[in-house]
Amino acid sequence: MTPDAPGRAEDRARYHGAGAPPRTARGRNRATRTAALLTAALLLVGGATAGCGGRATTHHKPGTSHEQATGSAGTLLEAQDPTGHRLREVPAEGAPEVRLAARPDSEDGWNLQLTVKNFRFTPDSTGGAALPGAGHAHLELDGRKLARLYGPWFHLPAAQVPEGAHTLTVRLYADDHTAWAVAGKAVEGTLQLTATATAPGQGSHSHTPPPSPPSPPASPSAQASPPEAPADRTVTLTVRDGKVTPAPGRTELRRGERLALHVTSDRADTLHVHGYDKELALPAGQGATLVLTADRTGLFEVETHESHLVLTQLLVR
């Protein structure tokens, strides 16, 4: 082979660059850069599909924001309140507070008012995580739960309060159902209430109007009750061995819709729709139906009195 002329060798050196790595090394560098770019692209795509925090957003409860699903406040204690809910300790300064007052209703029972401080009711995020100063309340009569409260007012029918002296307790809970606590004690308010004997069908504070003169007998057509409007929706539920089928969820309704709740329980119990003060006896092994008009907006819990099972939640918009 003819040796290169001095000028040709210099041209080749300038073309390839002084000290340039061998071609095989340059190829490996190019492959490494390509793999790094592909990895970065996959990470970006994965982050976009996973949502906030790199996790799939399916862990959010429907209608619950990411903050409501991931937030937390205070310190979760091992101690529990009298109903078995764990305490969530917060500093005394700025902690939630509640007071309970009752006034007789002119027709039946009492109207209860909750006065809260450093606290707001959040019915739309019940079941989410604990956020500072947010949640709901439980109402108890002599240690027995009567209702879950999502606002400052609640009507307590006289039929739910036996004759005699009683203690009403209202306790504040976070959206994750832990009880707000200060210095190891649940945040609550109490009230002494005395129910007096009344005539059948009358509230403890109702008055009896003077008797009216007898009316002439009505014709058969006038005595017939008008037919009840049909339900717009029917929800069928079964309670067996302490389990609810289908599993408890939310039933969404438009204001003004009529809902029929058809429930069959394997044991005698009582159905209660909180917020609407509707009750229905559930005979053992027999289906029973409660029809109501959703004329109040908010989130209302449907549960059984004896077994304390949540059957569904009515979300009325």
Side-chain angles (χ1 to χ4, degrees):
M1 180 177 293
T2 306
D4 287 335
R8 186 174 300 173
E10 293 174 0
D11 292 340
R12 245 195 336 265
R14 281 196 300 270
Y15 177 77
H16 291 291
R23 292 186 178 181
T24 55
R26 290 201 303 273
R28 283 196 300 270
N29 290 340
R30 252 193 322 268
T32 301
R33 286 196 300 272
T34 302
L37 290 173
L38 287 174
T39 301
L42 289 173
L43 288 174
L44 288 174
V45 172
T49 57
C52 44
R55 293 181 56 192
T57 56
T58 54
H59 69 283
H60 289 195
K61 188 173 182 178
T64 303
S65 71
H66 175 69
E67 180 190 26
Q68 292 163 341
T70 59
S72 62
T75 303
L76 191 60
L77 306 180
E78 291 299 327
Q80 299 178 345
D81 73 355
T83 60
H85 295 78
R86 292 180 66 180
L87 301 184
R88 185 173 293 276
E89 178 88 31
V90 292
E93 185 177 357
E97 300 177 22
V98 61
R99 288 183 295 134
L100 180 63
R103 61 185 66 177
D105 186 85
S106 59
E107 295 185 359
D108 171 68
W110 300 264
N111 292 316
L112 308 182
Q113 182 182 16
L114 281 68
T115 302
V116 296
K117 183 179 179 181
N118 302 323
F119 183 83
R120 69 187 188 280
F121 292 95
T122 52
D124 288 340
S125 59
T126 301
L131 295 181
H136 55 275
H138 288 185
L139 176 67
E140 297 177 2
L141 176 69
D142 300 331
R144 178 175 65 89
K145 180 181 174 182
L146 291 181
R148 184 186 293 177
L149 309 184
Y150 298 102
W153 286 96
F154 180 79
H155 177 250
L156 178 61
Q160 294 190 21
V161 185
E163 182 181 355
H166 303 278
T167 300
L168 281 176
T169 302
V170 64
R171 190 175 299 115
L172 298 183
Y173 291 82
D175 283 331
D176 68 347
H177 304 289
T178 54
W180 293 113
V182 175
K185 294 183 179 180
V187 176
E188 60 184 38
T190 59
L191 176 71
Q192 300 302 312
L193 189 71
T194 301
T196 57
T198 57
Q202 297 178 5
S204 297
H205 301 279
S206 61
H207 65 279
T208 305
S212 303
S215 302
S219 63
S221 59
Q223 291 178 347
S225 300
E228 191 175 25
D232 299 303
R233 296 187 57 185
T234 299
V235 174
T236 302
L237 302 164
T238 302
V239 180
R240 181 176 297 277
D241 298 329
K243 295 183 179 180
V244 182
T245 306
R250 286 187 178 178
T251 301
E252 297 193 12
L253 301 165
R254 296 188 308 274
R255 184 172 183 176
E257 276 192 292
R258 286 179 60 79
L259 171 69
L261 291 168
H262 183 75
V263 181
T264 303
S265 174
D266 61 349
R267 56 174 290 184
D269 212 323
T270 302
L271 174 74
H272 185 204
V273 183
H274 295 296
Y276 283 84
D277 295 326
K278 298 288 187 180
E279 292 189 352
L280 175 70
L282 301 176
Q286 301 180 25
T289 302
L290 172 68
V291 180
L292 62 87
T293 300
D295 54 5
R296 297 180 60 188
T297 58
L299 186 64
F300 308 96
E301 197 166 72
V302 181
E303 68 174 3
T304 55
H305 269 176
E306 300 300 326
S307 53
H308 303 290
L309 294 174
V310 176
L311 305 185
T312 186
Q313 290 181 328
L314 307 182
L315 180 57
V316 185
R317 302 182 187 277

